[in-house]
Amino acid sequence: LIIPIIVTLCSFATLHASPDLTIVGFIKPEDGLGKLPMVIIQTMGDGISSNIRLTDALPLSEMPPLVQAALDNPDKKSGKVALVTEPLWHHGRTPVKVPRESVVKLAYSMFETTRIPKTWVKILNDQFDAVVVPDEFLVNVYEECGVKIPIFVLPIPLVLSPYLERPAHSRIPSTPFIFGDASANKNPYALVKGFALAFGNNPAVQLVMRACFL
């Protein structure tokens, strides 16, 4: 869904110099927000020109070709559409810089609670034309917190081809049966406690957790 909306917005800004899209954010392939610039560009393909303004150091891992092309784009001007995927503000960090020259300014925003910070509300209303959220639940959250600009629901794009190309798992359960956690410090205490209550110290069942150290 994000493809036709961005392409349509770019078409309304034909007098603006290229590129079509500037994404502002950080890239971290194994992180939810950090993956957004990558999956958005991969989902859109090469139908539009884009560049990326990094807000943090780029990881050393290899980038997909389309993402690398956006990073290497010699045209560093602000795109017709600016899409900010970086958190709008949090303690200890200056607010994200929105490309002023872009004709349309969008924020891809989300928060795992029923209230968003008042600072976010002011930034959205003052600096953006619209905000994109990944789930219908967040529309009411943002509206009730005072967001006045239009709110669109666009699920996070998924690049599934690498997974669909892998052979299917055997229908016979492995021994031990392994549960994997990829949430990276999303309340690990509650997860371990719940797993222990469900399975105890059963050697036939294991929990493998992914840790993230800050």
Side-chain angles (χ1 to χ4, degrees):
L1 291 177
I2 200 167
I3 303 173
I5 288 181
I6 291 179
V7 172
T8 301
L9 289 172
C10 288
S11 68
F12 281 109
T14 54
L15 297 179
H16 190 278
S18 61
D20 297 312
L21 173 68
T22 292
I23 295 181
V24 181
F26 65 92
I27 292 181
K28 190 175 181 182
E30 296 184 0
D31 180 84
L33 288 176
K35 185 177 289 187
L36 271 176
M38 299 177 59
V39 296
I40 289 172
I41 288 178
Q42 289 176 276
T43 303
M44 291 187 299
D46 55 6
I48 66 173
S49 60
S50 59
N51 60 25
I52 300 175
R53 292 188 181 178
L54 291 173
T55 58
D56 206 339
L58 187 68
L60 298 179
S61 56
E62 183 178 351
M63 294 291 110
L66 287 173
V67 178
Q68 191 63 55
L71 289 167
D72 295 339
N73 190 344
D75 189 349
K76 304 301 181 183
K77 295 189 293 293
S78 298
K80 302 168 187 175
V81 175
L83 178 63
V84 174
T85 60
E86 169 92 356
L88 299 171
W89 175 86
H90 56 83
H91 290 289
R93 192 160 186 167
T94 56
V96 65
K97 293 183 178 180
V98 184
R100 298 295 182 184
E101 302 82 6
S102 295
V103 179
V104 180
K105 304 172 184 66
L106 306 175
Y108 201 121
S109 182
M110 63 192 81
F111 209 45
E112 298 168 335
T113 183
T114 56
R115 303 289 297 176
I116 63 173
K118 293 181 180 179
T119 307
W120 285 26
V121 176
K122 180 173 176 53
I123 292 173
L124 287 170
N125 289 333
D126 291 350
Q127 301 186 40
F128 289 90
D129 299 299
V131 57
V132 181
V133 295
D135 191 86
E136 191 72 37
F137 167 80
L138 291 174
V139 175
N140 289 335
V141 171
Y142 280 55
E143 288 178 342
E144 291 177 0
C145 289
V147 174
K148 303 300 183 184
I149 59 175
I151 304 173
F152 296 96
V153 178
L154 296 173
I156 296 175
L158 297 175
V159 180
L160 298 177
S161 54
Y163 303 100
L164 297 176
E165 293 169 358
R166 296 177 63 90
H169 284 290
S170 170
R171 293 183 178 273
I172 302 175
S174 62
T175 303
F177 191 91
I178 300 174
F179 288 86
D181 166 46
S183 61
N185 294 348
K186 299 287 185 179
N187 202 345
Y189 174 79
L191 174 61
V192 172
K193 183 178 179 180
F195 189 86
L197 288 173
F199 300 107
N201 196 28
N202 186 346
V205 184
Q206 291 184 0
L207 172 65
V208 177
M209 302 176 65
R210 172 176 174 263
C212 179
F213 299 96
L214 301 177

